[in-house]
CSV table of all heavy atoms in Angstrom, one decimal:
chain,number,residue,atom,x,y,z
A,1,PHE,N,0.8,-1.2,0.0
A,1,PHE,CA,0.0,0.0,0.0
A,1,PHE,C,0.9,1.3,0.0
A,1,PHE,O,2.0,1.2,0.5
A,1,PHE,CB,-0.8,0.1,1.3
A,1,PHE,CG,-1.9,-0.9,1.4
A,1,PHE,CD1,-1.8,-2.1,2.2
A,1,PHE,CD2,-3.1,-0.7,0.7
A,1,PHE,CE1,-2.9,-3.0,2.3
A,1,PHE,CE2,-4.2,-1.6,0.8
A,1,PHE,CZ,-4.0,-2.7,1.5
A,2,ILE,N,0.3,2.3,-0.5
A,2,ILE,CA,0.9,3.6,-0.3
A,2,ILE,C,0.0,4.2,0.8
A,2,ILE,O,-1.2,4.3,0.8
A,2,ILE,CB,0.7,4.5,-1.6
A,2,ILE,CG1,1.5,3.9,-2.7
A,2,ILE,CG2,1.1,6.0,-1.3
A,2,ILE,CD1,1.3,4.6,-4.1
A,3,ARG,N,0.7,4.7,1.8
A,3,ARG,CA,0.1,5.3,3.0
A,3,ARG,C,0.0,6.8,2.8
A,3,ARG,O,1.0,7.5,2.5
A,3,ARG,CB,0.8,5.0,4.3
A,3,ARG,CG,0.9,3.6,4.7
A,3,ARG,CD,1.6,3.5,6.0
A,3,ARG,NE,1.9,2.2,6.4
A,3,ARG,CZ,2.1,1.8,7.7
A,3,ARG,NH1,2.2,2.7,8.6
A,3,ARG,NH2,2.3,0.6,8.0
A,4,GLN,N,-1.2,7.4,3.0
A,4,GLN,CA,-1.4,8.8,2.9
A,4,GLN,C,-2.3,9.3,4.0
A,4,GLN,O,-3.4,8.9,4.1
A,4,GLN,CB,-2.1,9.2,1.5
A,4,GLN,CG,-1.3,8.8,0.3
A,4,GLN,CD,-0.1,9.8,0.1
A,4,GLN,OE1,-0.1,10.9,0.5
A,4,GLN,NE2,1.0,9.2,-0.4
A,5,TRP,N,-1.7,10.1,4.9
A,5,TRP,CA,-2.5,10.7,6.0
A,5,TRP,C,-3.2,11.9,5.5
A,5,TRP,O,-2.6,12.7,4.7
A,5,TRP,CB,-1.6,11.0,7.2
A,5,TRP,CG,-1.1,9.9,8.0
A,5,TRP,CD1,0.0,9.1,7.8
A,5,TRP,CD2,-1.9,9.2,9.0
A,5,TRP,NE1,0.0,8.1,8.7
A,5,TRP,CE2,-1.1,8.1,9.4
A,5,TRP,CE3,-3.1,9.5,9.7
A,5,TRP,CZ2,-1.5,7.3,10.5
A,5,TRP,CZ3,-3.5,8.7,10.7
A,5,TRP,CH2,-2.7,7.6,11.1
A,6,GLN,N,-4.5,12.0,5.8
A,6,GLN,CA,-5.3,13.2,5.4
A,6,GLN,C,-4.9,14.3,6.3
A,6,GLN,O,-4.3,14.2,7.4
A,6,GLN,CB,-6.7,12.8,5.5
A,6,GLN,CG,-7.1,11.6,4.6
A,6,GLN,CD,-6.8,11.8,3.1
A,6,GLN,OE1,-7.3,12.7,2.5
A,6,GLN,NE2,-5.8,11.0,2.6
A,7,LYS,N,-5.3,15.5,5.9
A,7,LYS,CA,-5.0,16.7,6.7
A,7,LYS,C,-5.5,16.7,8.1
A,7,LYS,O,-5.0,17.3,9.0
A,7,LYS,CB,-5.5,18.0,6.0
A,7,LYS,CG,-4.7,18.3,4.7
A,7,LYS,CD,-5.3,19.5,4.0
A,7,LYS,CE,-4.5,19.7,2.7
A,7,LYS,NZ,-4.9,20.9,2.0
A,8,ASP,N,-6.6,16.0,8.3
A,8,ASP,CA,-7.2,15.9,9.7
A,8,ASP,C,-6.4,15.1,10.7
A,8,ASP,O,-6.6,15.1,11.9
A,8,ASP,CB,-8.7,15.4,9.6
A,8,ASP,CG,-8.8,13.9,9.3
A,8,ASP,OD1,-7.7,13.3,9.1
A,8,ASP,OD2,-9.9,13.4,9.2
A,9,GLU,N,-5.4,14.4,10.1
A,9,GLU,CA,-4.5,13.6,10.9
A,9,GLU,C,-5.2,12.5,11.7
A,9,GLU,O,-4.6,11.9,12.6
A,9,GLU,CB,-3.6,14.4,11.9
A,9,GLU,CG,-2.7,15.4,11.1
A,9,GLU,CD,-1.9,16.3,12.0
A,9,GLU,OE1,-2.2,16.4,13.2
A,9,GLU,OE2,-0.9,16.9,11.5
A,10,LYS,N,-6.4,12.2,11.3
A,10,LYS,CA,-7.2,11.1,11.9
A,10,LYS,C,-7.5,10.0,10.9
A,10,LYS,O,-7.9,8.9,11.3
A,10,LYS,CB,-8.6,11.6,12.4
A,10,LYS,CG,-8.6,12.5,13.6
A,10,LYS,CD,-10.0,12.9,13.9
A,10,LYS,CE,-10.2,13.7,15.1
A,10,LYS,NZ,-11.6,13.9,15.4
A,11,THR,N,-7.3,10.4,9.6
A,11,THR,CA,-7.7,9.5,8.6
A,11,THR,C,-6.5,9.0,7.8
A,11,THR,O,-5.7,9.9,7.3
A,11,THR,CB,-8.7,10.1,7.6
A,11,THR,OG1,-9.8,10.7,8.4
A,11,THR,CG2,-9.2,9.2,6.6
A,12,LEU,N,-6.3,7.7,7.7
A,12,LEU,CA,-5.2,7.1,6.9
A,12,LEU,C,-5.8,6.4,5.7
A,12,LEU,O,-6.7,5.6,5.8
A,12,LEU,CB,-4.4,6.1,7.7
A,12,LEU,CG,-3.3,5.3,7.0
A,12,LEU,CD1,-2.3,6.2,6.4
A,12,LEU,CD2,-2.7,4.3,8.0
A,13,MET,N,-5.3,6.8,4.5
A,13,MET,CA,-5.8,6.1,3.3
A,13,MET,C,-4.7,5.2,2.8
A,13,MET,O,-3.6,5.6,2.6
A,13,MET,CB,-6.1,7.1,2.2
A,13,MET,CG,-6.7,6.5,1.0
A,13,MET,SD,-7.6,7.5,-0.2
A,13,MET,CE,-8.6,8.4,0.8
A,14,LEU,N,-5.1,3.9,2.6
A,14,LEU,CA,-4.2,2.9,2.1
A,14,LEU,C,-4.6,2.6,0.7
A,14,LEU,O,-5.6,2.0,0.5
A,14,LEU,CB,-4.3,1.6,3.0
A,14,LEU,CG,-4.0,1.8,4.5
A,14,LEU,CD1,-4.4,0.6,5.3
A,14,LEU,CD2,-2.5,2.2,4.7
A,15,THR,N,-3.8,3.0,-0.2
A,15,THR,CA,-4.1,2.7,-1.6
A,15,THR,C,-3.2,1.6,-2.2
A,15,THR,O,-2.0,1.7,-2.1
A,15,THR,CB,-3.8,4.0,-2.5
A,15,THR,OG1,-4.6,5.1,-1.9
A,15,THR,CG2,-4.2,3.8,-3.9
A,16,PRO,N,-3.8,0.5,-2.6
A,16,PRO,CA,-3.0,-0.6,-3.2
A,16,PRO,C,-2.2,-0.1,-4.4
A,16,PRO,O,-2.7,0.7,-5.2
A,16,PRO,CB,-4.0,-1.6,-3.6
A,16,PRO,CG,-5.3,-1.2,-2.9
A,16,PRO,CD,-5.2,0.2,-2.7
A,17,GLU,N,-0.9,-0.6,-4.5
A,17,GLU,CA,-0.1,-0.2,-5.6
A,17,GLU,C,-0.6,-0.8,-6.9
A,17,GLU,O,-0.3,-0.4,-8.0
A,17,GLU,CB,1.3,-0.6,-5.4
A,17,GLU,CG,2.0,0.3,-4.4
A,17,GLU,CD,3.5,0.1,-4.5
A,17,GLU,OE1,4.1,-0.8,-5.1
A,17,GLU,OE2,4.2,0.9,-3.8
A,18,SER,N,-1.4,-1.9,-6.8
A,18,SER,CA,-2.1,-2.5,-8.0
A,18,SER,C,-3.5,-3.0,-7.5
A,18,SER,O,-3.8,-3.0,-6.3
A,18,SER,CB,-1.3,-3.6,-8.6
A,18,SER,OG,-1.1,-4.6,-7.6
A,19,ALA,N,-4.3,-3.4,-8.5
A,19,ALA,CA,-5.6,-3.8,-8.1
A,19,ALA,C,-5.5,-5.0,-7.2
A,19,ALA,O,-4.6,-5.8,-7.3
A,19,ALA,CB,-6.4,-4.2,-9.4
A,20,LEU,N,-6.5,-5.1,-6.3
A,20,LEU,CA,-6.6,-6.2,-5.4
A,20,LEU,C,-7.0,-7.5,-6.2
A,20,LEU,O,-7.5,-7.3,-7.3
A,20,LEU,CB,-7.6,-6.0,-4.3
A,20,LEU,CG,-7.3,-4.8,-3.3
A,20,LEU,CD1,-8.4,-4.6,-2.4
A,20,LEU,CD2,-6.0,-5.1,-2.6
A,21,ALA,N,-6.7,-8.6,-5.7
A,21,ALA,CA,-7.1,-9.9,-6.4
A,21,ALA,C,-8.7,-10.0,-6.4
A,21,ALA,O,-9.3,-9.5,-5.4
A,21,ALA,CB,-6.5,-11.1,-5.6
A,22,GLU,N,-9.2,-10.6,-7.4
A,22,GLU,CA,-10.6,-10.7,-7.6
A,22,GLU,C,-11.1,-11.8,-6.6
A,22,GLU,O,-10.5,-12.8,-6.4
A,22,GLU,CB,-11.0,-11.1,-9.0
A,22,GLU,CG,-10.6,-10.0,-10.0
A,22,GLU,CD,-11.0,-10.3,-11.4
A,22,GLU,OE1,-12.1,-10.8,-11.6
A,22,GLU,OE2,-10.1,-10.2,-12.3
A,23,ASN,N,-12.4,-11.6,-6.1
A,23,ASN,CA,-13.0,-12.7,-5.3
A,23,ASN,C,-12.1,-13.2,-4.2
A,23,ASN,O,-12.1,-14.4,-4.0
A,23,ASN,CB,-13.6,-13.8,-6.2
A,23,ASN,CG,-14.5,-13.3,-7.3
A,23,ASN,OD1,-15.4,-12.5,-7.0
A,23,ASN,ND2,-14.3,-13.6,-8.5
A,24,GLN,N,-11.5,-12.3,-3.5
A,24,GLN,CA,-10.5,-12.7,-2.5
A,24,GLN,C,-10.9,-12.1,-1.1
A,24,GLN,O,-11.3,-11.0,-1.1
A,24,GLN,CB,-9.1,-12.1,-2.9
A,24,GLN,CG,-8.0,-12.3,-1.8
A,24,GLN,CD,-7.6,-13.8,-1.7
A,24,GLN,OE1,-7.3,-14.4,-2.7
A,24,GLN,NE2,-7.7,-14.3,-0.5
A,25,GLN,N,-10.8,-12.9,-0.1
A,25,GLN,CA,-11.0,-12.4,1.2
A,25,GLN,C,-9.7,-11.8,1.7
A,25,GLN,O,-8.6,-12.4,1.6
A,25,GLN,CB,-11.5,-13.4,2.2
A,25,GLN,CG,-11.7,-12.8,3.6
A,25,GLN,CD,-12.3,-13.8,4.6
A,25,GLN,OE1,-12.5,-15.0,4.3
A,25,GLN,NE2,-12.6,-13.3,5.8
A,26,TYR,N,-9.7,-10.6,2.3
A,26,TYR,CA,-8.6,-9.9,2.8
A,26,TYR,C,-8.8,-9.6,4.3
A,26,TYR,O,-9.9,-9.3,4.7
A,26,TYR,CB,-8.3,-8.5,2.1
A,26,TYR,CG,-7.7,-8.7,0.8
A,26,TYR,CD1,-8.6,-8.8,-0.4
A,26,TYR,CD2,-6.4,-8.7,0.6
A,26,TYR,CE1,-8.0,-8.9,-1.6
A,26,TYR,CE2,-5.8,-8.8,-0.7
A,26,TYR,CZ,-6.6,-8.9,-1.8
A,26,TYR,OH,-6.1,-9.0,-3.0
A,27,THR,N,-7.7,-9.7,5.1
A,27,THR,CA,-7.8,-9.2,6.5
A,27,THR,C,-6.7,-8.2,6.7
A,27,THR,O,-5.6,-8.4,6.3
A,27,THR,CB,-7.6,-10.4,7.4
A,27,THR,OG1,-8.6,-11.4,7.2
A,27,THR,CG2,-7.6,-10.0,8.9
A,28,VAL,N,-7.1,-7.1,7.2
A,28,VAL,CA,-6.2,-6.0,7.5
A,28,VAL,C,-6.0,-5.9,9.0
A,28,VAL,O,-7.0,-5.8,9.7
A,28,VAL,CB,-6.7,-4.6,7.0
A,28,VAL,CG1,-5.7,-3.5,7.3
A,28,VAL,CG2,-6.9,-4.7,5.5
A,29,VAL,N,-4.8,-6.0,9.5
A,29,VAL,CA,-4.5,-6.0,11.0
A,29,VAL,C,-3.7,-4.7,11.3
A,29,VAL,O,-2.7,-4.5,10.7
A,29,VAL,CB,-3.8,-7.2,11.4
A,29,VAL,CG1,-3.5,-7.1,12.9
A,29,VAL,CG2,-4.5,-8.5,11.1
A,30,ILE,N,-4.3,-3.9,12.1
A,30,ILE,CA,-3.6,-2.6,12.5
A,30,ILE,C,-3.3,-2.7,14.0
A,30,ILE,O,-4.1,-3.0,14.8
A,30,ILE,CB,-4.6,-1.4,12.3
A,30,ILE,CG1,-5.0,-1.4,10.8
A,30,ILE,CG2,-3.9,-0.1,12.7
A,30,ILE,CD1,-6.2,-0.5,10.5
A,31,THR,N,-2.0,-2.5,14.2
A,31,THR,CA,-1.5,-2.5,15.6
A,31,THR,C,-0.9,-1.1,16.0
A,31,THR,O,-0.1,-0.6,15.2
A,31,THR,CB,-0.4,-3.6,15.8
A,31,THR,OG1,-1.0,-4.8,15.4
A,31,THR,CG2,0.0,-3.7,17.2
A,32,PHE,N,-1.4,-0.6,17.1
A,32,PHE,CA,-0.8,0.7,17.6
A,32,PHE,C,-0.6,0.5,19.1
A,32,PHE,O,-1.5,0.3,19.9
A,32,PHE,CB,-1.9,1.8,17.4
A,32,PHE,CG,-1.4,3.1,18.0
A,32,PHE,CD1,-0.3,3.8,17.5
A,32,PHE,CD2,-2.1,3.6,19.0
A,32,PHE,CE1,0.1,5.0,18.0
A,32,PHE,CE2,-1.7,4.8,19.6
A,32,PHE,CZ,-0.6,5.5,19.1
A,33,GLY,N,0.7,0.5,19.5
A,33,GLY,CA,1.0,0.2,20.9
A,33,GLY,C,0.6,-1.2,21.2
A,33,GLY,O,0.9,-2.2,20.6
A,34,GLN,N,-0.3,-1.3,22.3
A,34,GLN,CA,-0.8,-2.6,22.7
A,34,GLN,C,-2.1,-2.9,22.1
A,34,GLN,O,-2.7,-4.0,22.4
A,34,GLN,CB,-0.9,-2.5,24.3
A,34,GLN,CG,0.4,-2.3,25.0
A,34,GLN,CD,1.4,-3.4,24.7
A,34,GLN,OE1,1.1,-4.5,24.6
A,34,GLN,NE2,2.7,-2.9,24.4
A,35,THR,N,-2.7,-2.1,21.3
A,35,THR,CA,-4.0,-2.3,20.7
A,35,THR,C,-3.9,-2.8,19.3
A,35,THR,O,-3.2,-2.3,18.4
A,35,THR,CB,-4.8,-0.9,20.7
A,35,THR,OG1,-4.8,-0.4,22.0
A,35,THR,CG2,-6.2,-1.1,20.2
A,36,THR,N,-4.6,-3.9,19.0
A,36,THR,CA,-4.7,-4.5,17.7
A,36,THR,C,-6.2,-4.5,17.3
A,36,THR,O,-7.0,-5.0,18.0
A,36,THR,CB,-4.1,-5.9,17.7
A,36,THR,OG1,-2.7,-5.8,18.0
A,36,THR,CG2,-4.2,-6.5,16.3
């Protein structure tokens, strides 16, 4: 992904460098400190 923080500094946009796979299940795991 290309990470782009928005001006509000609350919103992170993750743009895939290429199209995602078709008919695929994805899981995104975000960890910050002790919180996942």
